[in-house]
Amino acid sequence: MKLEPKKIAENLKKGGQETLSALEQNKKPFLLVVVLALVFMFAICWITFFATVRGPEQVMVPNVEGKDLTTALLEMQAKELYPKIQLKYTDNPDDAGKILSQNPEGGSIVKAGRRVNLTVSRGAILDHVENYIGQNFDEVKINLQTMFTGSTRPLIVLAEPSYKADQSDAGTILAQEPPEGTIISNPVTVKLIVSRGPEYENTRVPKITGLDFKQLMTTLASSKIVFDFTGHVAADNEKEGTVTSQEKDSSQYLPNYSRLTAEVALPKKQDDDVMGIFSAQLPNYPYAVEMTLESSKNGVKNTIVTLKHTGGNVTIPYIAEKDSELILSIAGRTVARQMVE
């Protein structure tokens, strides 16, 4: 049966009125349902927000000092902590791979995910005795001192060496005990046999009488005779700044680095450039070592002479600017100083 448009409109109007009437009758229950739905939605949002922004849980940092690195990493992982590793040499080879220190300390309360700094030992800087044969004794000694600077327990200690005549240059290491490759588990004392140089070699005494300062420095730099200088104010018949006498004449041959005396005539009047005799008392060396005498003023250095000397009483003529400092060094290390007055 086909309804007319008018009839349809009447039916829709009637249905709308019935719906409004039903809503009017159930107004309070409907509002209650809406309010409960809004409260439920707000609670869900609140819980979701705090679950999202809540920080990581707090954990106690384990104490891993003294433990090996593998154990420390496992303990850190169990606490959800992230280690940052720093390596450091120690005096004890047995420390290799162990935790020396940590930051934060064990027992500290931190948030999970915190970074913990771990200092791990790489063991000793040396784990075996090296081969020193053929090297210069002074250089080996300085290298070891540098290597263990600040160490309270150096792993290698050099005993007082034994010396013997040999064709090798003076100061060359001929033998060592213990041998190369010996494992270092505790501090080791190394005994060395060092060459004195050829014992039979003699040298001709150089003639230095009459030489002026420049000529004297050139001769001293190449001579294998050690001169002990004294000075006096030049007499009227003496030339200032020259060597006036020497023990032994130049026709004689003496064993290398024998000691002879010599006299220098110093100027009567000293101006800005002063001539004198540098003097220092050093240990006696079993063989001649290379020494350098320099003058220094306002940061400017000038080399006076480089020569070989056996130590003990060291006397070297010099000409240097007034108020400068004279510096005597061996292998780059200062051993004596003197002001020029």
Side-chain angles (χ1 to χ4, degrees), residues 162-178:
S162 300
Y163 294 92
K164 63 175 291 187
D166 189 81
Q167 293 295 325
S168 304
D169 292 337
T172 302
I173 298 173
L174 305 176
Q176 69 180 72
E177 179 61 36

Side-chain angles (χ1 to χ4, degrees), residues 43-56:
I44 293 297
C45 292
W46 184 267
I47 293 172
T48 302
F49 173 76
F50 279 99
T52 302
V53 300
R54 186 186 68 175

Side-chain angles (χ1 to χ4, degrees), residues 104-317:
E105 298 179 349
S108 303
I109 303 300
V110 300
K111 290 183 179 181
R114 168 71 182 270
R115 187 179 298 278
V116 178
N117 295 321
L118 300 178
T119 302
V120 183
S121 172
R122 298 183 67 175
I125 194 169
L126 283 179
D127 60 1
H128 68 279
V129 176
E130 297 181 341
N131 181 22
Y132 303 120
I133 296 175
Q135 299 186 50
N136 180 272
F137 172 72
D138 289 330
E139 293 178 357
V140 170
K141 185 177 180 179
I142 291 173
N143 288 339
L144 291 176
Q145 288 175 343
T146 303
M147 184 179 299
F148 297 112
T149 297
S151 175
T152 58
R153 193 168 176 254
L155 293 176
I156 295 181
V157 178
L158 294 181
E160 188 65 27
S162 300
Y163 294 92
K164 63 175 291 187
D166 189 81
Q167 293 295 325
S168 304
D169 292 337
T172 302
I173 298 173
L174 305 176
Q176 69 180 72
E177 179 61 36
E180 175 190 9
T182 301
I183 300 301
I184 300 175
S185 55
N186 290 300
V188 174
T189 298
V190 177
K191 300 177 181 179
L192 302 173
I193 297 177
V194 180
S195 170
R196 288 184 185 272
E199 65 177 352
Y200 59 83
E201 186 178 356
N202 293 333
T203 189
R204 186 171 183 171
V205 176
K207 181 181 179 180
I208 62 173
T209 302
L211 297 184
D212 60 23
F213 179 78
K214 185 176 181 181
Q215 294 169 331
L216 178 60
M217 294 299 104
T218 301
T219 301
L220 293 180
S222 60
S223 175
K224 292 185 179 181
I225 294 293
V226 175
F227 285 97
D228 294 319
F229 289 96
T230 55
H232 66 274
V233 177
D236 292 339
N237 62 341
E238 293 177 330
K239 184 177 180 180
E240 295 181 347
T242 62
V243 179
T244 58
S245 66
Q246 69 179 84
E247 182 185 5
K248 306 287 185 182
D249 59 44
S250 59
S251 64
Q252 298 187 49
Y253 283 82
L254 297 177
N256 281 346
Y257 302 105
S258 296
R259 302 182 77 109
L260 300 178
T261 60
E263 187 81 13
V264 178
L266 302 177
K268 297 177 182 179
K269 183 179 179 181
Q270 304 278 13
D271 296 318
D272 291 337
D273 287 335
V274 177
M275 183 175 187
I277 297 178
F278 175 89
S279 178
Q281 194 65 38
L282 302 180
N284 289 305
Y285 303 115
Y287 56 87
V289 298
E290 189 171 85
M291 300 181 180
T292 298
L293 181 64
E294 298 176 303
S295 65
S296 176
K297 186 173 183 180
N298 300 325
V300 179
K301 290 186 177 182
N302 293 300
T303 299
I304 297 173
V305 67
T306 297
L307 49 76
K308 287 192 174 182
H309 203 287
T310 53
N313 183 40
V314 178
T315 54
I316 305 174

